mmCIF file of all heavy atoms in Angstrom:
data_model
loop_
_atom_site.group_PDB
_atom_site.id
_atom_site.type_symbol
_atom_site.label_atom_id
_atom_site.label_comp_id
_atom_site.label_asym_id
_atom_site.label_seq_id
_atom_site.Cartn_x
_atom_site.Cartn_y
_atom_site.Cartn_z
ATOM 1 N N LEU T 8 -24.223 -60.650 44.427
ATOM 2 C CA LEU T 8 -23.193 -60.461 45.436
ATOM 3 C C LEU T 8 -21.951 -61.281 45.139
ATOM 4 O O LEU T 8 -20.829 -60.837 45.370
ATOM 5 C CB LEU T 8 -23.746 -60.811 46.818
ATOM 6 C CG LEU T 8 -24.796 -59.834 47.365
ATOM 7 C CD1 LEU T 8 -25.376 -60.340 48.672
ATOM 8 C CD2 LEU T 8 -24.186 -58.457 47.565
ATOM 9 N N LEU T 9 -22.127 -62.479 44.623
ATOM 10 C CA LEU T 9 -20.972 -63.301 44.252
ATOM 11 C C LEU T 9 -20.183 -62.634 43.130
ATOM 12 O O LEU T 9 -18.950 -62.651 43.121
ATOM 13 C CB LEU T 9 -21.430 -64.698 43.827
ATOM 14 C CG LEU T 9 -21.826 -65.641 44.967
ATOM 15 C CD1 LEU T 9 -22.414 -66.928 44.392
ATOM 16 C CD2 LEU T 9 -20.621 -65.958 45.851
ATOM 17 N N THR T 10 -20.919 -62.051 42.166
ATOM 18 C CA THR T 10 -20.236 -61.338 41.084
ATOM 19 C C THR T 10 -19.464 -60.145 41.622
ATOM 20 O O THR T 10 -18.323 -59.892 41.238
ATOM 21 C CB THR T 10 -21.266 -60.849 40.044
ATOM 22 O OG1 THR T 10 -21.973 -61.975 39.513
ATOM 23 C CG2 THR T 10 -20.567 -60.112 38.900
ATOM 24 N N ALA T 11 -20.097 -59.403 42.551
ATOM 25 C CA ALA T 11 -19.416 -58.254 43.158
ATOM 26 C C ALA T 11 -18.180 -58.694 43.917
ATOM 27 O O ALA T 11 -17.142 -58.037 43.876
ATOM 28 C CB ALA T 11 -20.378 -57.526 44.105
ATOM 29 N N LEU T 12 -18.299 -59.839 44.608
ATOM 30 C CA LEU T 12 -17.161 -60.376 45.355
ATOM 31 C C LEU T 12 -15.996 -60.691 44.432
ATOM 32 O O LEU T 12 -14.853 -60.332 44.703
ATOM 33 C CB LEU T 12 -17.596 -61.650 46.094
ATOM 34 C CG LEU T 12 -16.518 -62.427 46.859
ATOM 35 C CD1 LEU T 12 -15.962 -61.559 47.979
ATOM 36 C CD2 LEU T 12 -17.084 -63.716 47.417
ATOM 37 N N LEU T 13 -16.296 -61.331 43.322
ATOM 38 C CA LEU T 13 -15.244 -61.680 42.370
ATOM 39 C C LEU T 13 -14.610 -60.448 41.761
ATOM 40 O O LEU T 13 -13.385 -60.362 41.604
ATOM 41 C CB LEU T 13 -15.809 -62.587 41.275
ATOM 42 C CG LEU T 13 -16.208 -64.001 41.725
ATOM 43 C CD1 LEU T 13 -16.930 -64.719 40.586
ATOM 44 C CD2 LEU T 13 -14.975 -64.790 42.145
ATOM 45 N N LEU T 14 -15.445 -59.469 41.390
ATOM 46 C CA LEU T 14 -14.915 -58.255 40.784
ATOM 47 C C LEU T 14 -14.047 -57.481 41.765
ATOM 48 O O LEU T 14 -12.988 -56.968 41.411
ATOM 49 C CB LEU T 14 -16.060 -57.367 40.286
ATOM 50 C CG LEU T 14 -16.811 -57.885 39.055
ATOM 51 C CD1 LEU T 14 -18.003 -56.988 38.745
ATOM 52 C CD2 LEU T 14 -15.878 -57.961 37.848
ATOM 53 N N CYS T 15 -14.467 -57.408 43.006
ATOM 54 C CA CYS T 15 -13.669 -56.713 44.017
ATOM 55 C C CYS T 15 -12.335 -57.413 44.203
ATOM 56 O O CYS T 15 -11.295 -56.788 44.348
ATOM 57 C CB CYS T 15 -14.400 -56.667 45.353
ATOM 58 S SG CYS T 15 -15.796 -55.525 45.369
ATOM 59 N N GLY T 16 -12.363 -58.754 44.174
ATOM 60 C CA GLY T 16 -11.129 -59.516 44.321
ATOM 61 C C GLY T 16 -10.174 -59.252 43.179
ATOM 62 O O GLY T 16 -8.969 -59.116 43.372
ATOM 63 N N LEU T 17 -10.704 -59.152 41.971
ATOM 64 C CA LEU T 17 -9.863 -58.904 40.812
ATOM 65 C C LEU T 17 -9.265 -57.508 40.844
ATOM 66 O O LEU T 17 -8.199 -57.263 40.278
ATOM 67 C CB LEU T 17 -10.685 -59.092 39.533
ATOM 68 C CG LEU T 17 -11.096 -60.534 39.203
ATOM 69 C CD1 LEU T 17 -12.043 -60.525 37.998
ATOM 70 C CD2 LEU T 17 -9.878 -61.396 38.912
ATOM 71 N N MET T 18 -9.964 -56.572 41.505
ATOM 72 C CA MET T 18 -9.485 -55.200 41.529
ATOM 73 C C MET T 18 -8.483 -54.930 42.641
ATOM 74 O O MET T 18 -7.903 -53.849 42.713
ATOM 75 C CB MET T 18 -10.681 -54.246 41.684
ATOM 76 C CG MET T 18 -11.606 -54.235 40.468
ATOM 77 S SD MET T 18 -13.118 -53.311 40.762
ATOM 78 C CE MET T 18 -12.474 -51.678 41.036
ATOM 79 N N LEU T 19 -8.269 -55.915 43.537
ATOM 80 C CA LEU T 19 -7.325 -55.690 44.619
ATOM 81 C C LEU T 19 -5.914 -55.530 44.073
ATOM 82 O O LEU T 19 -5.496 -56.260 43.188
ATOM 83 C CB LEU T 19 -7.347 -56.882 45.587
ATOM 84 C CG LEU T 19 -8.578 -56.977 46.488
ATOM 85 C CD1 LEU T 19 -8.561 -58.297 47.221
ATOM 86 C CD2 LEU T 19 -8.629 -55.829 47.465
ATOM 87 N N PRO T 20 -5.137 -54.575 44.596
ATOM 88 C CA PRO T 20 -3.769 -54.396 44.120
ATOM 89 C C PRO T 20 -2.885 -55.565 44.508
ATOM 90 O O PRO T 20 -3.082 -56.183 45.555
ATOM 91 C CB PRO T 20 -3.320 -53.107 44.831
ATOM 92 C CG PRO T 20 -4.179 -53.036 46.061
ATOM 93 C CD PRO T 20 -5.500 -53.610 45.651
ATOM 94 N N VAL T 21 -1.914 -55.870 43.663
ATOM 95 C CA VAL T 21 -0.963 -56.931 43.947
ATOM 96 C C VAL T 21 0.190 -56.336 44.742
ATOM 97 O O VAL T 21 0.796 -55.351 44.321
ATOM 98 C CB VAL T 21 -0.433 -57.558 42.641
ATOM 99 C CG1 VAL T 21 0.599 -58.634 42.958
ATOM 100 C CG2 VAL T 21 -1.591 -58.153 41.841
ATOM 101 N N ILE T 213 -19.272 -57.769 52.291
ATOM 102 C CA ILE T 213 -18.625 -58.566 51.250
ATOM 103 C C ILE T 213 -17.290 -57.942 50.859
ATOM 104 O O ILE T 213 -16.266 -58.618 50.724
ATOM 105 C CB ILE T 213 -19.532 -58.671 50.017
ATOM 106 C CG1 ILE T 213 -20.760 -59.533 50.332
ATOM 107 C CG2 ILE T 213 -18.774 -59.290 48.844
ATOM 108 C CD1 ILE T 213 -20.450 -60.980 50.608
ATOM 109 N N ALA T 214 -17.294 -56.618 50.671
ATOM 110 C CA ALA T 214 -16.056 -55.942 50.290
ATOM 111 C C ALA T 214 -14.989 -56.096 51.358
ATOM 112 O O ALA T 214 -13.805 -56.279 51.065
ATOM 113 C CB ALA T 214 -16.341 -54.449 50.040
ATOM 114 N N ALA T 215 -15.395 -56.050 52.626
ATOM 115 C CA ALA T 215 -14.434 -56.200 53.719
ATOM 116 C C ALA T 215 -13.822 -57.592 53.714
ATOM 117 O O ALA T 215 -12.620 -57.766 53.907
ATOM 118 C CB ALA T 215 -15.127 -55.922 55.054
ATOM 119 N N ILE T 216 -14.659 -58.606 53.494
ATOM 120 C CA ILE T 216 -14.158 -59.977 53.448
ATOM 121 C C ILE T 216 -13.202 -60.152 52.283
ATOM 122 O O ILE T 216 -12.141 -60.778 52.390
ATOM 123 C CB ILE T 216 -15.327 -60.980 53.345
ATOM 124 C CG1 ILE T 216 -16.133 -60.962 54.640
ATOM 125 C CG2 ILE T 216 -14.816 -62.391 53.051
ATOM 126 C CD1 ILE T 216 -17.399 -61.777 54.578
ATOM 127 N N THR T 217 -13.557 -59.564 51.132
ATOM 128 C CA THR T 217 -12.689 -59.655 49.955
ATOM 129 C C THR T 217 -11.342 -59.010 50.221
ATOM 130 O O THR T 217 -10.290 -59.547 49.864
ATOM 131 C CB THR T 217 -13.353 -58.962 48.754
ATOM 132 O OG1 THR T 217 -14.642 -59.528 48.545
ATOM 133 C CG2 THR T 217 -12.517 -59.142 47.497
ATOM 134 N N ALA T 218 -11.380 -57.831 50.858
ATOM 135 C CA ALA T 218 -10.117 -57.153 51.177
ATOM 136 C C ALA T 218 -9.278 -58.004 52.112
ATOM 137 O O ALA T 218 -8.059 -58.103 51.963
ATOM 138 C CB ALA T 218 -10.412 -55.794 51.805
ATOM 139 N N ALA T 219 -9.932 -58.633 53.085
ATOM 140 C CA ALA T 219 -9.199 -59.502 54.025
ATOM 141 C C ALA T 219 -8.583 -60.677 53.296
ATOM 142 O O ALA T 219 -7.457 -61.085 53.583
ATOM 143 C CB ALA T 219 -10.142 -59.990 55.123
ATOM 144 N N ALA T 220 -9.329 -61.229 52.341
ATOM 145 C CA ALA T 220 -8.797 -62.352 51.560
ATOM 146 C C ALA T 220 -7.570 -61.947 50.789
ATOM 147 O O ALA T 220 -6.559 -62.648 50.771
ATOM 148 C CB ALA T 220 -9.881 -62.883 50.616
ATOM 149 N N GLY T 221 -7.654 -60.785 50.134
ATOM 150 C CA GLY T 221 -6.500 -60.307 49.360
ATOM 151 C C GLY T 221 -5.308 -60.054 50.253
ATOM 152 O O GLY T 221 -4.181 -60.387 49.907
ATOM 153 N N TYR T 222 -5.558 -59.477 51.425
ATOM 154 C CA TYR T 222 -4.453 -59.190 52.346
ATOM 155 C C TYR T 222 -3.816 -60.481 52.839
ATOM 156 O O TYR T 222 -2.596 -60.620 52.872
ATOM 157 C CB TYR T 222 -4.962 -58.379 53.527
ATOM 158 C CG TYR T 222 -3.935 -58.120 54.594
ATOM 159 C CD1 TYR T 222 -2.951 -57.139 54.400
ATOM 160 C CD2 TYR T 222 -3.930 -58.843 55.773
ATOM 161 C CE1 TYR T 222 -2.000 -56.895 55.369
ATOM 162 C CE2 TYR T 222 -2.971 -58.609 56.734
ATOM 163 C CZ TYR T 222 -2.015 -57.629 56.530
ATOM 164 O OH TYR T 222 -1.072 -57.410 57.499
ATOM 165 N N VAL T 224 -3.790 -63.519 51.480
ATOM 166 C CA VAL T 224 -3.033 -64.224 50.438
ATOM 167 C C VAL T 224 -1.753 -63.487 50.104
ATOM 168 O O VAL T 224 -0.689 -64.088 49.931
ATOM 169 C CB VAL T 224 -3.902 -64.400 49.180
ATOM 170 C CG1 VAL T 224 -3.068 -64.969 48.038
ATOM 171 C CG2 VAL T 224 -5.088 -65.321 49.487
ATOM 172 N N ARG T 228 2.159 -64.840 50.213
ATOM 173 C CA ARG T 228 3.034 -64.854 49.049
ATOM 174 C C ARG T 228 4.349 -64.143 49.341
ATOM 175 O O ARG T 228 5.324 -64.415 48.716
ATOM 176 C CB ARG T 228 2.333 -64.181 47.859
ATOM 177 C CG ARG T 228 1.176 -65.030 47.314
ATOM 178 C CD ARG T 228 0.480 -64.317 46.179
ATOM 179 N NE ARG T 228 -0.635 -65.094 45.683
ATOM 180 C CZ ARG T 228 -1.527 -64.621 44.824
ATOM 181 N NH1 ARG T 228 -1.459 -63.390 44.397
ATOM 182 N NH2 ARG T 228 -2.516 -65.380 44.392
#
Side-chain angles (χ1 to χ4, degrees):
L8 291 175
L9 283 173
T10 301
L12 176 63
L13 291 172
L14 289 174
C15 288
L17 290 173
M18 293 171 63
L19 286 171
V21 178
I213 291 294
I216 293 173
T217 305
Y222 175 77
V224 173
R228 290 178 182 170

